Amino acid sequence: MRIRKRHGFLIVFIFWMLFSLNLNLNNILLGLISSFVVINITWGFVSDNKIFKIPTLKVLIKYSSSLFIEIYKDSFTHLKRIIKKESDPYIIQVKLPTEDPIVVTMVSNAITLTPGTITVDVEKNILYVLDIEGNNKKDETINSILDSYKKVFE
């Protein structure tokens, strides 16, 4: 999907209306003006003089449902480790097969939202992830992250 400046304006305005939940004429005018100003100030940073691409709705739905399931599944695993006092934290390096900054951000946020893992640094498509699982499961953690990525984004 290609996003142009007018589409960005509409997206920002729609978010304004959804977050404010106020159909008062003054609020609508303030939203239009604010959206116009925000898009004009930030468009050069966001678009980087290229057409800005975002994932399709199908990919976003797959991503959200996969993330929801992973968070709840890992919450119980993490809770068990806390109760049994079984943790051996370490940092792993995960290289994603994409350099798309939006996809890298979505994956790193998903990792941070998953209990027991935190993305501590990102360099292009390399994520540095703190995991409390233990060194004997390093490859399993990397494969789990890459499998989740492939399931949604490929």
Side-chain angles (χ1 to χ4, degrees):
M1 176 192 278
R2 296 169 20 158
I3 294 188
R4 299 193 185 277
K5 202 172 193 178
R6 66 177 177 262
H7 297 126
F9 167 77
L10 286 173
I11 291 169
V12 172
F13 178 68
I14 289 169
F15 272 105
W16 173 277
M17 295 307 296
L18 289 173
F19 287 136
S20 68
L21 293 175
N22 184 348
L23 297 177
N24 182 325
L25 181 62
N26 289 338
N27 186 59
I28 293 171
L29 290 174
L30 183 61
L32 288 170
I33 293 168
S34 299
S35 299
F36 179 78
V37 169
V38 166
I39 284 298
N40 282 308
I41 290 173
T42 61
W43 189 253
F45 300 110
V46 174
S47 70
D48 198 21
N49 298 323
K50 300 183 271 190
I51 298 298
F52 184 59
K53 291 172 51 177
I54 61 170
T56 63
L57 183 60
K58 179 182 174 184
V59 169
L60 291 175
I61 290 171
K62 282 174 57 177
Y63 167 77
S64 298
S65 60
S66 174
L67 178 62
F68 183 77
I69 291 167
E70 288 295 320
I71 287 174
Y72 276 94
K73 186 173 72 173
D74 288 345
S75 292
F76 291 108
T77 303
H78 184 63
L79 184 61
K80 185 173 79 173
R81 278 185 277 167
I82 290 172
I83 291 171
K84 292 183 176 182
K85 297 182 181 179
E86 299 172 347
S87 66
D88 185 17
Y90 62 94
I91 293 182
I92 57 173
Q93 189 178 36
V94 180
K95 185 173 183 179
L96 296 177
T98 183
E99 288 190 12
D100 182 355
I102 292 179
V103 173
V104 172
T105 301
M106 290 173 73
V107 172
S108 64
N109 284 338
I111 291 169
T112 299
L113 287 170
T114 304
T117 55
I118 298 174
T119 304
V120 293
D121 196 12
V122 177
E123 293 177 359
K124 290 194 180 188
N125 64 333
I126 300 173
L127 306 177
Y128 296 93
V129 179
L130 174 66
D131 188 7
I132 65 163
E133 189 71 36
N135 285 328
N136 58 347
K137 298 201 178 192
K138 178 179 179 180
D139 291 333
E140 183 181 316
T141 303
I142 293 171
N143 290 334
S144 172
I145 292 169
L146 292 174
D147 288 345
S148 295
Y149 165 84
K150 290 174 186 172
K151 186 169 55 171
V152 174
F153 294 105
E154 289 185 352

